[in-house]
Structures are given as C-alpha cells and as structure tokens.
Amino acid sequence: MTITRRDFSRLAAFGAAAHLIPASARAQSSEKKIGYAVIGLGRIAGHFIAGAHATNNSQITALVSGHRDKAEKIAAQNNIPSSSIYSYENFDEIARNPAVDAVYVALPNSMHAEYTIRAAKAGKHVLCEKPMATSVEDCEKMIAACKAANKKLMVAYRCHYEPTNLRSIKLIRDGVLGQVQTIQSAFGFNIAKGEWRLSKALAGGGPLYDVGIYSLNACRYLTGEEPGHISAYSSVIDHDGRFNEVEENVSWSMHFPSGILASCSTTYGANMGGYFRVYGSKGWFQVDNAFAYDGLHLRGELSGKQLDEPNPSKDPSHFQAESEHFSHCLQNNLEPQSPGEEGLRDMQYIAQIYKSAGIAV
Ligand code: NAD
C-alpha cells in the first residue's frame, strides 16, 4: 500500500504509523537494537522470535522457561548465551542483565499480571500478550507497576500494526464507506481437550478472552468509538467435558455513541475464520482472515466500485511490525499505540459482556 505524508499523519493519530517508516530510516533512529527476554516458550513465542529477528531494531537476548532443555535448544538457535536463560524462580535476576531492555510475556493469561509486574520491578519495559490479564484489577495493577517503575507497557494487539486492518480503518476515516451503520465480526475455533485455555484459573474465561477479544477490539478501532451499551448471550452445547469451567459460545451486541451497531460472536466449538464486515452508506467491505497471521483478504463494493485486495504478506510479518513498533517507541521515548490502557478497556468490556450474559467473573 502507498502511504502519503497526509495518510501517515492520519495513521499517526491512530498511532500505528511508526512501522510504516522505511526500514533504512528506522534503523538510523538508534544504533542499539532493543533486547527482549521472552517469557513462556510456547506457540506464540516462536512467531514472536521469528518476527523480532526480521526487524532492524529488535533482537532476542534472553529466555525465561520452566523447561531448561527446551530453553537451551531455542537459545542455541538464536545465539543467546546460557547465562541469559532464566527460570520462573530466578526471573528477577534479569534486573542485572543489561542485554535485556524489555520482556515479552507469552504465558497463559492469568500469569500475565505477575510477570509484567515483576519485569517492571526489575527495571524492564513490557510487551504483554493479549488478553492483558484476567481481571480489570490486574490490568490496573500492571499499569500502576509500569508507571511506578517509569517503564513502558504495550499490549501485543498485532492487528493494530497490520496493513489490511490499517487500510480498513483508513477507508472508514477517509469517508470512502460513507456513514458506517453496522459491523459484524466473529472469530473462534474447535478446541481440543486438555488445553490450559479450558481452565478458568489459567485463562480467566473461554473464547471471549482468547479470540472474541479480536472482534471486540476491531469494532473499537474500526469505529474509533467506545461502546456505550452492551448486551450478550452465552451457551454450552457440547457437554463433553471441555466446558466445565468456561463458556463455549458468546455472542454480543454493542451500541456505539454515533449509533453504529456491532454484532459479534465467538466460539470454542467450531472453526470460524476470523472476519469483520462493515456496512456504510456508500457500500460495504469485509476482511476475511482478519485476525489470522497471514492470508488476509479485503473485498467489497464502495460507490459501485469493486474492491479486491488480497494481502500477500506471510507470517511472521505481524510480529515483525509489532516488535518494530514497540522497539521504535522505546528508542524514541514514544507511547506505544496499544498501551496498557487499551488492554484495560477491553477487559472492562469483557466484564460487561459476561455480566450481561449471566456469567460470573
Ligand atoms: P502455549 O500453551 O503454546 O504456550 C504457553 C507457554 O507457557 C508454554 O511455554 C508453557 O510451558 C508455559 N507455561 C508456564 N506455566 C504454565 C502453566 N501453568 N500452564 C500452561 N503453560 C504454562 O500458549 P500460546 O498459544 O503461546 O499462548 C500464550 C499467550 O499468548 C496467551 O495469553 C494467548 O492469549 C496469547 N496468544 C496471542 C496470540 C496473538 O496472535 N497475539 C496468538 C496465540 C496466543
């Protein structure tokens, strides 16, 4: 996509333009790459490590894991010295490691708060995976701890840094779609037994925390508004032992101050390619695979003109853009586009959705 100076200013207002600066210019902004310690060496950590390696301003300099063997293997692949491998117990010693500027928290949801707070106390900036935590109170504690330590906190909302999502925002902000009236969005998958995601203690809740949050967050960045009223339903259909602690399905509606209505759903009982569809007075557009790591596809009809824009980028480009943005913020003392307050807001809306659906939080 071609970004003009005017587009850049507009996206900068959204805060997401930093990664669109040419790589050569970005590299000049600081000589030192930002060093990250990765906490929790599971699936998403692998995507993040590859994404950070693809940048000019980020590198992986430490690992934190409960499995020393796994960590040794990943360290060897990434030129990380054994002395920069930590366990959950000795994690606080990271304070004395000058190669670590920031930590990337990629643990189960309920562990985000503890490790974000410990990282801030150790004098490190924090990039925390979504959902930011499992309660509003924990989000507030995380923000307070980072503020007290004078460290930056960003929630890893990678879609905020992804070109097709940014293009969608721009189509709306530029008025190309006319007045937005309604948005539909969904994301879900058919979960296997035994996942930590099915434990309320570790996950906080079901698909809403895990993947429904993408639709919630998208409705907020697409409209640029905060929902005023929310109503929701939830259900469990499959009584096969998976949903003893968390819900299987949630659907919710949001009323935004301008009058825009959004209708969203999420599930752990069916594979649902994540998407959003936006209807405005001048047409409609939809992004298929809107929240996937690649394969995003924008199509629609605007003022009688067909729109068909597949995005050829491949994984780990989202993680590259996300780490590039946070590192750029750290190098230049800028606030990230998705700070802790953004994660806190989603947690407040999740609490409202659960309350409306009659689920105890
Ligand atoms: P995962 O199960 O693949 O990895 C979790 C890691 O945490 C593992 O290395 C595991 O060993 C470690 N761990 C430590 N204590 C644990 C415990 N008590 N129980 C289970 N694991 C424990 O999970 P994941 O899919 O990588 O998700 C990690 C985080 O990343 C979650 O918060 C999730 O919501 C988020 N996530 C974000 C994206 C994204 O696109 N931004 C995608 C997937 C997951």
Side-chain angles (χ1 to χ4, degrees):
M1 120 172 114
T2 308
I3 298 286
T4 64
R5 185 177 289 275
R6 205 163 138 251
D7 294 338
F8 186 84
S9 309
R10 208 175 286 117
L11 287 171
F14 179 69
H19 72 284
L20 299 169
I21 307 164
S24 52
R26 279 196 310 267
Q28 288 161 12
S29 64
S30 166
E31 285 173 358
K32 185 186 171 293
K33 287 185 179 184
I34 296 298
Y36 288 84
V38 176
I39 314 183
L41 304 178
R43 283 162 287 194
I44 200 67
H47 295 271
F48 180 80
I49 290 170
H53 274 312
T55 70
N56 290 317
N57 65 359
S58 313
Q59 59 185 337
I60 308 300
T61 51
L63 302 174
V64 185
S65 175
H67 304 277
R68 183 83 197 184
D69 290 356
K70 179 167 70 172
E72 290 280 4
K73 217 167 130 190
I74 297 173
Q77 288 159 357
N78 292 280
N79 293 322
I80 298 166
S82 283
S83 56
S84 289
I85 299 176
Y86 299 85
S87 65
Y88 298 116
E89 290 72 32
N90 74 3
F91 167 65
D92 309 278
E93 290 172 16
I94 212 159
R96 296 199 292 275
N97 190 336
V100 176
D101 301 292
V103 300
Y104 167 63
V105 180
L107 291 162
N109 309 343
S110 67
M111 300 171 77
H112 293 181
E114 177 186 344
Y115 285 89
T116 294
I117 292 166
R118 282 170 70 178
K121 284 185 177 160
K124 308 299 179 188
H125 302 283
V126 181
L127 174 58
C128 179
E129 262 308 335
K130 51 51 63 183
M132 182 172 166
T134 51
S135 70
V136 167
E137 294 71 26
D138 276 356
C139 293
E140 287 168 345
K141 284 181 196 161
M142 293 158 80
I143 292 169
C146 290
K147 282 210 162 79
N150 200 21
K151 295 292 147 191
K152 294 191 193 297
L153 171 58
M154 170 168 144
V155 180
Y157 282 124
R158 61 186 163 74
C159 295
H160 285 223
Y161 310 99
E162 188 286 314
T164 300
N165 279 271
L166 291 175
R167 166 104 170 107
S168 303
I169 294 166
K170 187 164 151 30
L171 285 171
I172 294 171
R173 297 290 184 281
D174 285 356
V176 183
L177 193 59
Q179 173 59 54
V180 175
Q181 305 291 342
T182 66
I183 302 177
Q184 297 166 355
S185 182
F187 196 18
F189 65 97
N190 199 349
I191 198 166
K193 277 186 184 158
E195 274 266 1
W196 61 259
R197 287 173 162 79
L198 295 169
S199 152
K200 191 166 167 57
L202 286 170
L208 180 58
Y209 271 89
D210 191 23
V211 282
I213 192 170
Y214 285 93
S215 294
L216 168 61
N217 197 252
C219 290
R220 294 180 48 237
Y221 57 69
L222 290 169
T223 58
E225 297 180 30
E226 299 298 332
H229 302 283
I230 295 179
S231 65
Y233 292 98
S234 84
S235 69
V236 174
I237 297 172
D238 294 305
H239 295 279
D240 54 14
R242 288 180 295 169
F243 305 109
N244 295 337
E245 298 186 24
V246 303
E247 80 280 357
E248 184 174 21
N249 302 299
V250 185
S251 77
W252 72 101
S253 301
M254 294 183 281
H255 179 281
F256 289 89
S258 63
I260 297 172
L261 300 178
S263 166
C264 304
S265 59
T266 183
T267 183
Y268 268 165
N271 291 324
M272 251 182 193
Y275 79 96
F276 54 75
R277 181 183 277 233
V278 189
Y279 291 95
S281 54
K282 294 183 182 171
W284 65 275
F285 70 79
Q286 167 160 341
V287 175
D288 293 315
N289 299 318
F291 316 121
Y293 302 151
D294 51 26
L296 284 76
H297 194 151
L298 173 69
R299 59 195 175 83
E301 192 180 319
L302 299 173
S303 301
K305 261 180 68 183
Q306 297 297 316
L307 201 65
D308 187 2
E309 299 179 10
N311 182 337
S313 300
K314 293 281 175 214
D315 183 39
S317 66
H318 298 192
F319 301 88
Q320 174 182 352
E322 166 188 280
S323 50
E324 227 161 46
H325 176 77
F326 193 45
S327 295
H328 178 75
C329 290
L330 298 183
Q331 289 169 331
N332 295 283
N333 195 22
L334 301 169
E335 275 315 298
Q337 198 280 322
S338 53
E341 286 78 1
E342 177 73 2
L344 166 64
R345 264 179 232 123
D346 276 346
M347 199 58 52
Q348 288 166 333
Y349 299 130
I350 285 174
Q352 286 183 38
I353 292 169
Y354 276 143
K355 191 172 174 207
S356 173
I359 297 174
V361 278

